Amino acid sequence: MSRTDAPMPPFHPTCPMAAFPIQIGGKWTAMIVLCLEAGPRRFGVLRRHLRPISAKVLAETLLAMERDGLVHRRPVPGADDGGIDYELAPLGRTLLGVIEHARAWARAHLEELSRSREGFDAANPAS
């Protein structure tokens, strides 16, 4: 039984979920957090590790993460090229447990998810 008349929860423009830094389906923020877990990394190292991310998308994602307080951007002392290190901020470190739970869920449901996607794609070739 469909309940199209059921009330929907109101979402105020200042709702905390509107500012949520990790979008379901967006992969780069979580991957960057995992790349920075062990310590600071330079932009080029992140880009090589996260292929096929473009430099533009990586720069935009890091900037958004810095704005959200998830990463710190620090000049590399003594670097002739004006290098910058990116490191997890304390707030960014709090995402590690959340990401691990999401990864565990993905591992547990990967076959089911793959079957569902294959079935959908077979039934909807234009999508």
Side-chain angles (χ1 to χ4, degrees):
M1 174 180 201
S2 174
R3 289 285 322 260
T4 57
D5 61 333
M8 302 254 305
F11 291 106
H12 191 273
T14 60
C15 172
M17 289 305 294
F20 194 61
I22 296 178
Q23 298 176 15
I24 302 300
K27 62 184 176 180
W28 299 118
T29 298
M31 290 204 247
I32 290 168
V33 167
L34 292 172
C35 286
L36 297 176
E37 180 179 10
R41 305 272 188 228
R42 295 190 64 180
F43 184 91
V45 171
L46 290 170
R47 180 140 187 252
R48 281 190 300 276
H49 189 75
L50 294 171
R51 284 190 182 130
I53 194 170
S54 69
K56 179 181 185 284
V57 170
L58 179 57
E60 288 170 352
T61 304
L62 286 166
L63 184 63
M65 291 174 72
E66 183 179 12
R67 182 176 181 262
D68 288 338
L70 303 177
V71 298
H72 293 301
R73 185 177 186 264
R74 307 228 189 268
V76 176
D80 295 338
D81 62 355
I84 301 292
D85 270 344
Y86 293 90
E87 64 181 322
L88 280 181
L91 184 60
R93 289 206 166 276
T94 66
L95 290 173
L96 290 167
V98 174
I99 292 167
E100 186 49 44
H101 283 288
R103 292 172 84 192
W105 180 91
R107 284 190 293 272
H109 298 282
L110 187 57
E111 286 184 34
E112 182 181 357
L113 182 63
S114 294
R115 281 193 308 273
S116 180
R117 287 179 176 179
E118 288 169 6
F120 180 90
D121 290 348
N124 301 283
S127 60

